[in-house]
Amino acid sequence: MNTETRLESLVSASVEAEVRGVELPADFLIRITERRRRRAPRFGLLAVGLATATVAVAVPIVLTVNDGQDRVAVVAATPSSLDGKITEGPLPDGYGSEQTAKGAAGWQEADPKVTGVRVWVRDFRAPHDGGPEPLVATVRVLTGDVTFAKAVTAVEGAFDAPHYVDITGSFPRGEAVYRGPEADFDGHLVAWRPRKGLMIVVRSYALTREQTIDLVKGTTVK
Amino acid sequence: MDEEHLSFTAFVRGSGTRLLRFAVALCGDREQAEDALQSVLERVYPRWQKIVAHGDPEWYVKRGVVNELKDGWRRRKRRPEELGIDAELDGGTYTPFDAFVTRDAVRRAMTGLPTGQRTVIVLRYWEGLSEAETARLMGVSVGTVKSQGHRAMRTLRSTLRLEEDIEPAGAHR
């Protein structure tokens, strides 16, 4: 296959992937005959809110969490930019209720480690009698010029490539990728882009693949 | 309920998803595609009988969608996107690493193409239309289709090569 033909095939495959799963909304016909407008997308408010949020200038502070498994450079806490706007998806029994899961102090904006992207992070830890509370999952919301490669870099701290699979079919819209346990990788990572400019990423340590997907899928934005 | 309404309803139910996918393919945005298709069908609905009488209403609607999206792009150029989300290519921090991300890279490169160029390559390589059919659907000459297609592919080649050549800091493959 020469370069030109390969590029034509890539264009076709790219478009095909984009339209795969697109179905006519149930109320589409009635919208036409009664000239009703489409409802605003669910994530639209978030995009506006985050795009206009002001970030205070501060010297980055590196915090170590989860016994050094993950490092989050907190740029400047702007709790008001996300407070009340995001609801995380369900965590399983034993972790998931307000009584047993313990989140960090709300959402914090973190160093995205890549250009053109803003990242908000929240950790969830399980209750533990004495000693450090084990990290259950870290939920990240990325906005801006978001790509999967950037999301991976934002989560892993570097671009770690070869082991992601397309799990778009598990989600109602957009696209999603997954990385599961391997020799040098524990837990699960799911990145879901419900629409352009927004990505939800969960890195879980004490959940199953299905529980991790449910956590991502159930994350909603007012 | 009259016969014309039933005929229109049957058309939307039978062809609607295909037409919506066509619109998504052209613009790469689900909401924008829905709005464009709805606008076209709202205009088609009162004239349905006449349009059917001319034959091939699906082609007529597709042509309407092409024009609607072109007009939509023009409107957005006059009124910049309110979200402020930068859709430009970052040109240097992106490395395709598997089929999924390669497709993502192609799509992002396509997002940067001018409207006419993107329309040509979608119609030619995804819809599988000939140059003449593409020209007829877009309401332009075959020469325009050729030149826009050529420019689009040249841009994609250079963009994708650029991205493949550059390895982000800290990468290990």
Side-chain angles (χ1 to χ4, degrees):
Chain A
M1 190 183 285
N2 64 31
T3 307
E4 197 71 13
T5 310
R6 180 164 179 266
L7 191 51
E8 290 169 9
S9 298
L10 282 173
V11 167
S12 178
S14 173
V15 175
E16 187 58 38
E18 196 155 17
V19 303
R20 188 181 55 208
V22 169
E23 298 288 341
L24 207 62
D27 65 342
F28 197 70
L29 187 59
I30 206 158
R31 274 197 244 158
I32 296 162
T33 54
E34 297 186 6
R35 291 180 173 264
R36 288 185 195 166
R37 290 298 97 193
R38 173 176 56 79
R39 286 183 188 169
R42 193 176 190 179
F43 295 95
L45 286 177
L46 172 74
V48 172
L50 298 185
T52 56
T54 305
V55 180
V57 177
V59 178
I61 305 163
V62 177
L63 302 179
T64 303
V65 296
N66 196 29
D67 299 325
Q69 286 185 31
D70 193 5
R71 283 178 173 269
V72 178
V74 177
V75 176
T78 53
S80 61
S81 64
L82 276 178
D83 272 0
K85 289 183 177 173
I86 294 186
T87 305
E88 302 81 23
L91 285 162
D93 291 343
Y95 294 130
S97 71
E98 287 296 323
Q99 291 75 33
T100 56
K102 183 180 178 184
W107 290 89
Q108 292 185 305
E109 185 163 13
D111 176 3
K113 307 183 185 87
V114 286
T115 57
V117 172
R118 296 176 71 179
V119 181
W120 280 264
V121 182
R122 190 169 188 185
D123 287 340
F124 286 85
R125 294 175 181 279
H128 193 264
D129 292 334
E133 295 168 323
L135 186 63
V136 174
T138 298
V139 182
R140 288 173 172 84
V141 174
L142 287 74
T143 64
D145 186 18
V146 184
T147 67
F148 285 97
K150 287 184 177 182
V152 168
T153 306
V155 173
E156 304 287 0
F159 196 85
D160 189 6
H163 305 290
Y164 292 83
V165 294
D166 184 350
I167 56 164
T168 296
S170 301
F171 287 81
R173 59 183 294 171
E175 301 150 309
V177 293
Y178 165 79
R179 183 178 187 185
E182 304 157 25
D184 59 344
F185 185 89
D186 62 331
H188 305 271
L189 189 152
V190 175
W192 177 35
R193 183 165 60 188
R195 58 166 293 152
K196 187 172 73 177
L198 175 67
M199 192 174 292
I200 296 163
V201 184
V202 171
R203 174 78 167 92
S204 73
Y205 301 91
L207 303 177
T208 65
R209 170 192 157 119
E210 286 67 33
Q211 288 166 343
T212 307
I213 290 174
D214 286 346
L215 178 54
V216 177
K217 199 191 296 183
T219 299
T220 58
V221 182
K222 288 178 185 171
Chain B
M1 198 170 287
D2 62 28
E3 196 176 318
E4 186 173 357
H5 177 81
L6 288 174
S7 166
F8 179 76
T9 301
F11 171 77
V12 173
R13 288 198 175 126
S15 305
T17 293
R18 192 163 54 247
L19 288 165
L20 182 58
R21 289 178 181 180
F22 176 79
V24 171
L26 288 178
C27 69
D29 182 281
R30 172 67 188 265
E31 279 84 25
Q32 190 187 342
E34 268 189 40
D35 288 346
L37 180 59
Q38 181 174 345
S39 296
V40 173
L41 289 174
E42 279 177 2
R43 291 198 297 273
V44 162
Y45 179 49
R47 299 183 292 130
W48 182 242
Q49 217 158 21
K50 283 183 185 172
I51 290 164
V52 170
H54 277 91
D56 204 352
E58 188 163 325
W59 176 273
Y60 185 91
V61 173
K62 279 182 176 176
R63 179 153 187 184
V65 168
V66 169
N67 288 328
E68 180 70 21
L69 288 171
K70 190 167 63 183
D71 292 344
W73 271 309
R74 284 184 186 137
R75 282 195 291 274
R76 278 193 304 286
K77 275 183 184 172
R78 288 197 297 270
R79 186 173 57 83
E81 191 65 57
E82 290 171 2
L83 296 183
I85 293 170
D86 182 11
E88 294 298 312
L89 293 168
D90 51 348
T93 59
Y94 197 87
T95 301
F97 58 85
D98 62 16
F100 183 86
V101 176
T102 301
R103 282 203 309 266
D104 196 45
V106 174
R107 179 175 41 220
R108 285 166 50 74
M110 288 175 67
T111 302
L113 293 176
T115 308
Q117 292 182 25
R118 179 183 166 112
T119 303
V120 166
I121 62 168
V122 167
L123 293 178
R124 292 280 287 115
Y125 305 127
W126 177 72
E127 185 79 345
L129 300 184
S130 67
E131 288 174 339
E133 288 168 330
T134 301
R136 195 156 66 89
L137 196 58
M138 292 178 69
V140 298
S141 70
V142 171
T144 300
V145 167
K146 282 182 179 174
S147 63
Q148 293 208 335
H150 177 74
R151 286 193 199 110
M153 297 303 269
R154 189 177 58 196
T155 302
L156 290 182
R157 271 196 305 275
S158 61
T159 304
L160 294 169
R161 187 175 300 124
L162 172 70
E163 289 178 340
E164 283 168 358
D165 284 347
I166 296 176
E167 187 112 355
H172 52 95
R173 306 182 71 182

